[in-house]
């Protein structure tokens, strides 16, 4: 089993609402699972951005736009 560290912190109501929304979107069984998945995504996109790579999304109408990550 991987090394585990317990973290405890307070969140405001808007952060709690966002975490619950992510939990539902990920179909995660716990808030901790939703947080881990969210951190993994954030880590990946900020690493790519730091390397100078660009990240794009395509909406349901086929429009493509660039996501600006971090300090631009």
């Amino acid at each position: 089993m991987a090394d585990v560290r317990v973290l405890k912190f307070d969140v405001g109501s808007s952060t709690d609402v966002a975490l619950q929304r992510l939990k539902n979107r990920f179909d995660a069984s716990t808030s901790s699972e939703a947080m881990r998945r969210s951190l993994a995504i954030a880590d990946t996109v900020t690493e790519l951005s730091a390397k100078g790579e660009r990240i794009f999304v395509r909406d349901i109408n086929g429009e493509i736009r660039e996501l600006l990550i971090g300090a631009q």
Side-chain angles (χ1 to χ4, degrees):
M1 181 169 162
D3 210 13
V4 176
R5 179 175 169 207
V6 175
L7 299 175
K8 295 182 181 188
F9 50 90
D10 298 323
V11 296
S13 61
S14 62
T15 301
D16 187 46
V17 168
L19 182 56
Q20 293 308 309
R21 195 169 45 241
L22 288 165
K23 182 181 172 196
N24 291 333
R25 288 179 183 160
F26 286 135
D27 194 26
S29 59
T30 64
S31 294
S32 293
E33 180 183 352
M35 179 70 77
R36 285 191 298 272
R37 289 184 183 189
S38 299
L39 285 171
I41 292 168
D43 186 45
T44 298
V45 297
T46 56
E47 181 180 359
L48 293 170
S49 181
K51 291 177 181 177
E53 296 192 33
R54 297 165 64 193
I55 301 166
F56 297 86
V57 294
R58 182 183 321 223
D59 69 20
I60 60 172
N61 298 317
E63 296 290 321
I64 298 173
R65 62 187 163 124
E66 183 175 3
L67 294 180
L68 301 178
I69 308 297
Q72 299 294 322

